[in-house]
Amino acid sequence: MQARTAVRMKQEVAVGMYVDEDRDVYMIERKDTIVDIIRMQQQAGLWQTLSVDLVDCGPGSREGDNYMSIIKRVKAHCKAKSVDGRNHVFTISLIFKRQITNPNRRRLFRCDAAFENEITAYASIVPVLQRISPYDLPYPKCVTAGSDEHGDRIVLEDLTTSGYAMLDRRVGLSYEHCIAVMKELAKLHAVSLAMKHAHPHEYADVCSKIREIVYCPEAAEFYTHSLESSLRGALDSLRYSNGEQGELDGPIRAVEGLTGRLYRIMSALVCDGMDEGWRVICHGDTWVNNLMFSADRQHVRLIDLQTMRCTTPVLDILHLLYTSTEHSMRRQYVPELLLQYRQSLLAALGEHFCACEEPAAAAALLRRYAEQFSYARLRAEYDRCLPYGLGIAMWLLPAVTFNPDKIPDLDAVTIQDFKTKKHDKRIAQIVSNDYHTRMRDIVLEMYDQGVLQRLKSDRI
């Protein structure tokens, strides 16, 4: 009797893929929750009465595309009476992000810290940046970010209702897609530079709220082992791709020299070594699954702010290019993409300075930043940080390229799996031919440009 009552209560709350006896009601968004959120979105006093007839919960991302949180698309079918007495019937679609429920996975992948970082980003950082900015920032609108009786919660606009869509992560981004991302990253980074100039104390306060959750002491053990596992996987892939003539022998030996050092190399590039004038608030995880594009490829929105960090802006660019593009695109278009980034950065800074400075002062400031971010200096910073591109490719390419039919069970993973190489075997079973091709291309790029040789002589 109690079981039947529980199921009936769930059906009264919501319908959809999560309504069954084996799912916790935590997975379902209640009608009263939806009503409260709709009221948050609407102008105060707009509705005299508001009710939700039906809540339909479904997956908010494709299977295998997300492992740090639960993402749901929630469609609410509503009835309302406005203050003028008219009746309204409408449907609203929202994206809900919740914490994953498996406690071991949450601890291992530091999901709590990541979710807290994203709540802070949407609640305390993006609103300040948007207030300073003369243009819209490339983030989805956030309805609420905080917690309720079920735990941490972030509610966002559903970008698909505005024509935005995620791309197939297994297909490298086109030149047009990359140009769109360069423009938006430049505008995002420009806000930091303008804010540092005009509102330095407020900027420092905003930065103090951003936590580095990957390259920090409390995360070092897990991510060191995780990166070492990825490095071993890359070496196995290179040996698999090495021909009878041994054309990869040199690159393989160079990559072997990174053993035991990769996390320290990545950490140094993220946290240290840059000109402080270049340090800005970055997205931190600009791979294809965190991008949604308009149908005409002209506009992009950046989602998933869990690893927002303060660092050099070129890391956002390298993260994109070495996880989400193919060799031919990088070989042909990197100079053009960097030029587009610089052009968009200076244009965005011009908007900022013209809005708050006298014309002569604005022109002088823009000349200063044009020199600071000259193409030569931008390219030099990009080249200095190329090892980050190598490391992030080793780390993420298995996730970018694996077949959705071969999704690993991350709930079963432990840190011992990384230490004993059990996880290596698990990943080896899901990597694709595309992974082998991309890894080979990236390592050869780094070898041909002298990056691997430079790392051999570095003392990190």
Side-chain angles (χ1 to χ4, degrees):
M1 177 65 181
Q2 286 182 331
R4 288 196 299 272
T5 302
V7 173
R8 188 162 58 248
M9 287 176 63
K10 290 182 182 183
Q11 291 172 338
E12 289 171 357
V13 172
V15 298
M17 67 169 293
Y18 298 121
V19 180
D20 60 60
E21 295 184 56
D22 299 322
R23 287 284 193 157
D24 194 319
V25 72
Y26 164 83
M27 298 291 290
I28 302 168
E29 299 303 333
R30 298 178 58 87
K31 291 181 180 180
D32 53 357
T33 300
I34 303 300
V35 169
D36 290 342
I37 286 172
I38 293 173
R39 290 192 182 279
M40 289 180 194
Q41 281 192 301
Q42 305 298 332
Q43 180 182 347
L46 176 63
W47 304 122
Q48 182 178 336
T49 62
L50 174 64
S51 64
V52 174
D53 285 348
L54 188 65
V55 178
D56 186 8
C57 291
S61 62
R62 292 171 299 215
E63 193 170 8
D65 280 353
N66 178 69
Y67 67 94
M68 292 288 284
S69 58
I70 297 168
I71 301 179
K72 298 177 286 183
R73 176 168 286 106
V74 177
K75 293 184 178 180
H77 306 272
C78 310
K79 291 180 180 178
K81 178 179 286 188
S82 54
V83 291
D84 59 8
R86 289 186 297 172
N87 293 318
H88 303 264
V89 177
F90 60 92
T91 299
I92 188 169
S93 183
L94 297 166
I95 297 297
F96 275 67
K97 294 189 73 170
R98 294 280 193 183
Q99 279 278 24
I100 58 174
T101 55
N102 184 282
N104 293 326
R105 183 165 152 195
R106 281 173 67 163
R107 282 193 297 270
L108 184 63
F109 291 97
R110 306 197 72 240
C111 295
D112 288 359
F115 212 97
E116 181 182 340
N117 221 34
E118 188 164 27
I119 287 175
T120 300
Y122 278 118
S124 303
I125 297 170
V126 172
V128 176
L129 299 182
Q130 186 60 75
R131 176 170 54 80
I132 297 294
S133 174
Y135 44 76
D136 289 336
L137 295 178
Y139 299 123
K141 294 176 183 176
C142 179
V143 180
T144 182
S147 60
D148 59 14
E149 65 270 23
H150 298 306
D152 292 338
R153 175 190 71 185
I154 297 171
V155 183
L156 305 169
E157 68 169 318
D158 183 357
L159 289 168
T160 64
T161 63
S162 300
Y164 285 84
M166 291 179 66
L167 305 181
D168 185 342
R169 57 177 162 74
R170 294 171 294 174
V171 179
L173 294 178
S174 69
Y175 171 74
E176 291 79 13
H177 287 124
C178 290
I179 284 289
V181 179
M182 291 301 109
K183 291 178 179 179
E184 294 300 341
L185 286 178
K187 290 163 68 177
L188 170 62
H189 299 154
V191 180
S192 291
L193 296 171
M195 195 174 178
K196 276 200 285 188
H197 165 74
H199 310 280
H201 297 297
E202 190 172 12
Y203 178 74
D205 180 63
V206 168
C207 289
S208 70
K209 297 174 182 177
I210 299 174
R211 293 174 57 198
E212 175 56 55
I213 65 167
V214 176
Y215 303 102
C216 57
E218 56 269 33
E221 181 186 16
F222 169 66
Y223 286 122
T224 294
H225 287 296
S226 179
L227 267 170
E228 288 299 307
S229 175
S230 298
L231 175 61
R232 292 191 295 268
L235 283 167
D236 288 343
S237 175
L238 293 170
R239 293 172 186 132
Y240 170 84
S241 300
N242 202 7
E244 292 182 0
Q245 302 302 315
E247 64 270 18
L248 295 180
D249 287 351
I252 287 172
R253 286 193 295 271
V255 172
E256 287 172 340
L258 301 178
T259 301
R261 303 168 55 212
L262 191 53
Y263 179 82
R264 294 198 304 274
I265 291 169
M266 299 277 281
S267 182
L269 290 168
V270 170
C271 303
D272 306 308
M274 75 203 74
D275 182 331
E276 283 302 312
W278 282 64
R279 192 184 294 271
V280 296
I281 297 172
C282 290
H283 178 274
D285 196 12
T286 48
W287 72 301
V288 62
N289 268 20
N290 290 336
L291 307 171
M292 294 185 71
F293 291 90
S294 59
D296 62 3
R297 304 183 181 185
Q298 298 300 304
H299 304 283
V300 62
R301 293 291 178 266
L302 309 181
I303 59 176
D304 194 342
L305 309 186
Q306 294 182 341
T307 53
M308 179 179 275
R309 56 169 56 106
C310 295
T311 187
T312 172
V314 301
L315 295 191
D316 272 349
I317 299 173
L318 286 162
H319 200 109
L320 174 82
L321 296 181
Y322 282 93
T323 62
S324 307
T325 68
E326 296 181 353
H327 171 66
S328 58
M329 217 287 304
R330 294 189 299 274
R331 182 185 64 224
Q332 186 171 356
Y333 291 118
V334 162
E336 287 186 41
L337 293 173
L338 292 178
L339 284 169
Q340 178 63 70
Y341 173 84
R342 179 178 183 269
Q343 177 184 331
S344 298
L345 181 76
L346 295 177
L349 286 170
E351 287 191 58
H352 280 276
F353 298 148
C354 288
C356 61
E357 302 282 352
E358 293 295 326
L365 279 169
L366 201 55
R367 285 194 297 271
R368 190 185 95 192
Y369 280 99
E371 181 180 355
Q372 179 179 343
F373 290 91
S374 67
Y375 176 78
R377 289 180 175 177
L378 181 62
R379 183 65 200 233
E381 180 70 355
Y382 178 92
D383 290 342
R384 181 184 76 85
C385 294
L386 272 171
Y388 177 88
L390 173 65
I392 206 65
M394 290 180 178
W395 212 350
L396 291 189
L397 278 183
V400 173
T401 58
F402 76 77
N403 190 307
D405 296 331
K406 297 181 179 180
I407 299 172
D409 181 9
L410 295 179
D411 286 346
V413 176
T414 69
I415 195 167
Q416 284 302 118
D417 293 342
F418 291 96
K419 293 179 179 179
T420 62
K421 303 183 182 180
K422 181 179 178 181
H423 189 64
D424 300 14
K425 297 176 182 177
R426 185 183 289 117
I427 296 300
Q429 294 171 356
I430 68 169
V431 296
S432 63
N433 287 332
D434 187 33
Y435 167 78
H436 296 306
T437 299
R438 290 205 200 185
M439 185 53 61
R440 178 183 183 277
D441 288 344
I442 287 172
V443 169
L444 282 174
E445 277 183 51
M446 297 292 171
Y447 192 74
D448 291 343
Q449 295 180 59
V451 176
L452 287 169
Q453 296 87 327
R454 188 177 83 216
L455 286 172
K456 183 178 180 180
S457 62
D458 286 347
R459 296 182 178 180
I460 299 176

